[in-house]
Amino acid sequence: MPESLAWFPDNLSLPESVLPLLISTTLLILGVIALRVVIAGVIRRNVASSELRGRLLVNSRNALVLLAVFGLVFIWGEQLRSLALSIVAIAVAFVVATKELILCVSGSIIKGGAGSFSIGDRIQVKDFRGDVIDQTLLTTTLLEVGPGKASHQRTGRMIVLPNALFVSEPVTNESFTDHWDFHVFTVPFKREDNWPAAREALLNAANHHCEPYLDTARKYMSKVGTARGLEVPSVDPRVTIQAPTAGEIHLTVRLPTRTGQRSYIEQAILSEVFLNNDFSAKKAEPETSKPTKE
């Protein structure tokens, strides 16, 4: 044996189950070729019109190719079925193994296509709330703001969210406008407290702090409403009354503020109102009994 073929294994052979299939395939191909030659010869000898002859040759060729394909499928059907099952099993295993990655990529496409938020926006997804500082194909990074929904101070913690959350969870964007925001906060009182005076004090303080920029905010909100086709909301500060339970009154303050100054203006209003006023109910002092003269 030549040295160049010494590395071939001595027992190199095909499986016994494949050999009949190869023989059948060879016979099928030879039969189709022979049939093609015969049909083409008959057409060329008996059809005088060149246009009709060309059409018949093309149609016969296509029919024989289709016959060959069906014959191969019939011969190799069992092997093709096993191969298809293997491919399906591999595809299912791949999808299961990469499910989270696929969801993350899908979430990235969804939030990008919808324009849900951008770098610098303050968003909330489930219980996670913060300012967006980075976005990738798989994750979104937030600087946490809290604690709770009412606070606007950064906690110093970083949250890395998988983009899979954006497939099934709604996103709250607190930075709908670029330069001005509406800020809402609630002050609770008991029913017996002097909440009407508190309402007036909160409204006066809100008007006082918003007065320097109220006209600018009104023009900006009007511009945003026109550009987005929305009804322009009232920009003036307002205080509304809510009664969540039978024994409580909540005063909800809504006012315009510059982006990033919601916490500052809320603290300024509350400090001004509660440092100078006491709205708690005054309980009547019990009368002391006077000594009787004997």
Side-chain angles (χ1 to χ4, degrees), residues 5-214:
L5 299 178
W7 56 273
F8 273 91
D10 296 334
N11 59 347
L12 181 62
S13 61
L14 295 173
E16 294 183 359
S17 60
V18 176
L19 187 59
L21 299 178
L22 292 176
I23 295 174
S24 300
T25 302
T26 303
L27 294 176
L28 174 66
I29 294 175
L30 293 176
V32 169
I33 293 174
L35 191 59
R36 164 68 175 164
V37 172
V38 172
I39 293 176
V42 172
I43 292 174
R44 289 190 178 96
R45 286 193 303 268
N46 298 317
V47 179
S49 173
S50 60
E51 182 178 352
L52 179 59
R53 185 170 58 249
R55 187 183 305 116
L56 290 176
L57 287 172
V58 171
N59 291 339
S60 63
R61 183 195 62 192
N62 294 338
L64 290 174
V65 170
L66 187 61
L67 177 63
V69 170
F70 278 119
L72 291 173
V73 171
F74 179 77
I75 294 172
W76 294 91
E78 188 65 30
Q79 283 68 23
L80 292 175
R81 189 180 303 110
S82 301
L83 179 62
L85 292 176
S86 301
I87 293 175
V88 170
I90 293 173
V92 171
F94 177 79
V95 170
V96 171
T98 60
K99 175 184 175 182
E100 291 300 325
L101 292 178
I102 294 173
L103 287 176
C104 287
V105 174
S106 301
S108 179
I109 295 173
I110 290 174
K111 69 183 179 68
S116 305
F117 55 86
S118 57
I119 300 295
D121 288 352
R122 180 165 296 178
I123 66 170
Q124 178 172 342
V125 183
K126 296 184 69 174
D127 295 330
F128 307 108
R129 180 167 173 260
D131 297 328
V132 181
I133 60 172
D134 189 22
Q135 298 186 74
T136 65
L137 188 63
L138 301 179
T139 61
T140 298
T141 305
L142 309 179
L143 278 181
E144 187 183 38
V145 173
K149 298 180 180 180
S151 178
H152 299 277
Q153 299 183 15
R154 291 177 177 173
T155 62
R157 297 188 297 182
M158 184 177 68
I159 305 175
V160 180
L161 301 178
N163 288 339
L165 286 175
F166 303 116
V167 175
S168 58
E169 297 294 336
V171 180
T172 302
N173 190 340
E174 299 181 16
S175 304
F176 175 70
T177 55
D178 296 329
H179 304 290
W180 299 92
D181 291 329
F182 282 112
H183 178 47
V184 179
F185 62 93
T186 301
V187 183
F189 290 91
K190 296 180 180 179
R191 290 292 293 268
E192 58 269 18
D193 291 338
N194 190 8
W195 56 264
R199 180 185 180 215
E200 183 178 358
L202 287 169
L203 184 59
N204 291 335
N207 285 323
H208 170 71
H209 286 279
C210 295
E211 184 179 2
Y213 57 78
L214 199 57

